[in-house]
Amino acid sequence: MPDAVLSLPGVGARVAEPFPLADVELTDGVFTRARDQMLHLARVYPVDRLLAVFRANAGLDTRGALPPGGWEDFGHPDEDAWGPDDYPGREAAPTANLLRGHYAGHFLSMLALAAGGPGDAADRSELKAKVDAMVEGLREVQETLAATGRYSHPGFLAAYGEWQFSRLEGLAPYGEIWAPYYTCHKIMAGLLDAHRHTGSGVALEVAAEMGRWVHGRLSVLPAEQRAAMWALYIAGEAGGMNEVLCDLAVLTGDRTFVETARLFDLDTMLDFAAAGRDELDGMHANQHAATLLGYLALGDLTGEARYADAVVNLWDMLVPGRTYAHGGSGENELWGPAGAVAGDIGNRNAETCVTYNMLKIARALFERTGEARFAEYYERAVTNQILGSRRDVDSDDSPEVTYMFPVHPGALREWDNVGTCCGGTGLENHVKYQDSVYFRAGGSAGPDGGVRTVWVNLYIASTASWPEAGVRLVQRTGYPLEGGSRITVDATGDLELRLRVPAWVADGACTVTVDGEPQPVQTDGGYVALRRDWRPGTVVEIGLPLTLREVPAPDDTSVVTLERGPTVLLARSAATTWLPLEAATWRRLDGTLEAPLTSADDGTWRLGDLVLEPTWSGSDARYHMYLRRADARIAFAGADPAADSGVPNAARADGRTFLDVLWSAGGFADRPAFVEGVLRTTHEFVDLGLLSAAEGRQVLVAAARSDVGRPSEADGGPGSGGRAAEEAALLSRAPTTTHEGSAPRVEIVAADAPGVSGWYLRPPELTVTARADVGEPVVEVRVGDEPWAPAGQEPLVLAEGVHIVTARAVDEAGRERRVVREVSVDTRPPRTKVTTKRLGPRGVEINLAAADDVSGVDSIRWKGPDTFWATFAEPFSRALSDVPQVIEFAATDRAGNQEPVRTLVLPPADAEAE
C-alpha cells in the first residue's frame, strides 16, 4: 500500500520509480525456485521463536520458545539487562550473543515484503497476521522496558540492555560489544517495512519512539565523539540508521529525524568520497556500504550535493574496480586496493550482506538517473551472487543462504547461516526479486505527468500491472537460460517502452520486433526505445543471443571467468589450486567463444574436461569461479588445421603470453583490426627474441588462414584467392631478424603429480630442462624473489607453501625465455585449539579454532553424543548431563590433510568447572 507521505522541503525528484511489489508477479523460473523455498520458511517459522530474545530481556514469558540460534540466541545465563549506567565491566560481566535482535528484524522485513507482494489473498493474509503478531510482541516489549524506568528513554527497544550503547560512546572495541546500532537499524527497518507493506500503524509508532530514543542519546554527544564511534571497526557499524531515520522524517513529517540521521555522518569518508579521492582500501565493506542509501536520502532531504556526490563517487570506486564476476566485493569483509580483482582473491571473498546493500544502492541510483550501468550491475549481482546465495533445499528452520560466496579456487559456499548477518539479509533477498524488473514514469507516476514510460530492466518471466495508467505487461522468457523475451503490451495510446540491451550482448546482435515486424535497433544509453500509439495485445520480441564469453579480470588478463549471457559459470572440481583453460581455437572476433558447450540432464554443461554449472544452481559442489588461461600454442579459430600455428605460446618476463597480449582488450572491432593486432604482437615477440622469424611467419600464416572475423564465402567473404592475398600481404610485413632460431625452450617438470586438490602432500622434486637452437643455453632457476641460481643436475625440492618457480634459459645470442610454474605444497594437517567456558552449572561454551598457515583451514567438524558430524562455524554450547560427554573433532585443510580425530571430555553437570 502507498506510504502516507507528508511533504517535506527538499525531497529529491526521481527520473524513474519502481513498480510496487504487489503489482509485479513472477512466473515460473529459476528465481521462483529460491523465492518459494524462502516463502516456505516465512510461513512455517513460529513468531514466538523470533520474539523469545526480546521477551527474555524484558522479563516476559517466552512461552517456551527457543530462539533461532547462532548469533540470535539467549545471552549468557549470568547476563543482566543492564541499563545505560550499571554495566559492571567486561571482567565482571559474562555476555554472549550481543547482536541478538537483528535477525528478528530481518525476519519481520521478510514477512512484510511477502505479505505486501502479489499472490494468493489467503496466503498474504496469513503472512500479514504474522507481521501483526510480531509487531504487537515488539510493542509489548517496548512498553515493558519503558515501565521499568531503567532506560534513558521510553522508546528503547532491544533484546539486551542499553549498556552496549553507553560502552560504544566510551569507544569500547568490537569484542566487548558488537554493533548495537546495527541491531537497532534492523529492528527499525523491519517495523517500517511492516508499516509500508501491510499498513501497520503500530509499527510506525514503535519505530518512531525508537527514533526519539536514538535522538536523545546521540544529540548530546560532541561531533568528535560521534566521529570516533562511527570509525570503530564493527563496534561502530550502524547499518542503515541514517536511512530509517530519513524514512521516519518522511513518514511522520517530523524534521527532527533528518537531524538525527545526520548524527550518523562519517565526515571523513564523505569528504574524501565527495572529493573523488579513493581511500577505501582496508575499510570494512558492509559497515560502510550500508550507509550509502541513507546518504542519498539525506541529499534529497537537505539539498546538500556532497551526499549524492559522495555516493556516486564511491560507486565508481567499487564498480567495476573492486567487484568480482558475480557482483560481490571484499576479502574477509574488507575492501581491497583500487582495481584489484584477481589480486584480491583470498579465501573468504564476497560477503553476501555487501551485495544486498549494493543492490539497494544500484536501484536508488537508477531511480535518480535512469542510467543503464546501474541496471547492468543489478542484473549481474542479483542473477549470480544473490540467486546463487540460496541453497536448493527446503528447510523449516534455516534460511539456507550464504555468508561468503567466495571466488577462490576450489571454493565452497558457506550455507545455512541461522542468526548471522547474511542469514538476516538473505531472508529478504529472495522474496523481492520483482522489485527492480520494471520502472515507470509519466502519467500518474511522475510529479510532472508526461509521457507514460516503462523501463524493462530485467528479462524475467513476470506480469506487471500499472492500473492507474492503464498499462499491463506480460513477459514470457526462459531467462537466464534463454536469450531474449516475448512481451505482450496491453495499453492504449502513447507509451514509451524502453528495453535494456545488456552489455553481454555482442554488438549488432540484438533484434526487436513489434507484432512480427522488425524494428531498427538504435540504442540510447543502453536502451532501445519504442514509442508509439499502442493497442492492447501488441507483442514485442527482443532477441538477446546467449554467447559464451571468456572475461578477463581487469588487473590480470590471464585470470578469466566463463560467462554465458548474464550467467557466470562455475567449474566443478575438487582441486583448490588454479584450473587451466585452453580456449585459443574457440575465440571469435569479439572475444566470445565458439566452444563445444553441451548441456547435461543435471543442469550442468560440459566444455572439454570441465563440468560447468551456473552460479545460481544452489548446489553444494566445490567450484572455481575464476580460471587461468593456459593456451599451450598460438592458435586461432578456424576449420583449416593451419589456423593452429604449432608455435609455443611464449610469455614475456611479466608472465603475459602472446595470446594474453593479443586478446587483452577482449576482442576486436573487425577482421582488419584483428590482423593488425596479430602483426603487432608478432613483431613485439620476435623483437624480444621469444619467437624466431620463422615462428613469426607461422603465426601470421595461421592468422591469415583462421576464420576469426571472416565472413563465410556464402555471405560474400573472400574465397581461396582472397585468403591467399591476405596471407601474402601479411607475410610481406612479417618481422625479419639477422639471426636464426628463437630463445631456448625451457621446462619445469615435477617427478610426481599433485593430489586431487592440486596440492602436493609431500615435498615435490622439480627438474629444469632446456634446449637451444644454437649452442648450449645457460639455465637458471629461482623460487619466489630469491636470487637466480644455476639449474643443477639434482632436482629442486620444495618445502611448505605456495611457490612461484621461474626458470630461464639464455642462448649465445642473448635471447632469453622464461617459464613460470606455481607449485603448492602442504604436507601437514592443521591443528585445532580448544577453549571452553562454563555457562552456569549445567552448560559449557566450546570454541574450536584451527590454524593452518599454508593452504588454510577448510573446515572443522565435531560430533558428540546424539550429534552428527557438524561443520564448525561459531562457538557452540552444550548442555551438561549427569555423565561425562565425549566431543570428537578434527580439522581439514584446503590441501586435503586431515588432523587425527581428537577428543574433549565434558564433565558431569555437578562437577566443578575446571
Side-chain angles (χ1 to χ4, degrees), residues 718-732:
S720 59
R723 290 172 183 256
E726 184 181 61
E727 183 178 321
L730 263 178
L731 290 176
S732 72

Side-chain angles (χ1 to χ4, degrees), residues 878-900:
R878 294 285 294 180
L880 299 177
S881 64
D882 295 334
V883 297
Q885 299 181 55
V886 177
I887 303 294
E888 297 178 280
F889 59 90
T892 303
D893 63 24
R894 285 171 37 80
N897 298 298
Q898 181 172 317
E899 174 186 31

Side-chain angles (χ1 to χ4, degrees), residues 646-665:
V647 175
N649 185 27
R652 302 185 310 197
D654 63 1
R656 299 183 74 197
T657 68
F658 183 103
L659 291 175
D660 286 339
V661 174
L662 176 65
W663 294 99
S664 60

Side-chain angles (χ1 to χ4, degrees), residues 282-312:
M283 295 182 70
H284 187 270
N286 200 51
Q287 178 167 350
H288 300 294
T291 66
L292 302 190
L293 211 59
Y295 289 142
L296 283 177
L298 279 169
D300 292 343
L301 295 171
T302 66
E304 293 186 22
R306 78 159 181 159
Y307 286 113
D309 290 345
V311 174
V312 172

Side-chain angles (χ1 to χ4, degrees), residues 307-332:
Y307 286 113
D309 290 345
V311 174
V312 172
N313 287 343
L314 286 166
W315 179 272
D316 290 339
M317 295 170 193
L318 295 168
V319 181
R322 288 182 172 92
T323 302
Y324 302 111
H326 63 351
S329 66
E331 156 59 13
N332 204 25

Side-chain angles (χ1 to χ4, degrees), residues 129 419 572:
R572 287 184 177 178

Side-chain angles (χ1 to χ4, degrees), residues 4 116 129 173 218 239 314 410 430 510 519 538 578 592 675 722 728 806 890:
L218 295 181
L314 286 166
H430 305 283
C510 173
Q519 304 296 306
T538 301
W578 288 95
T592 60
V675 170
T806 307

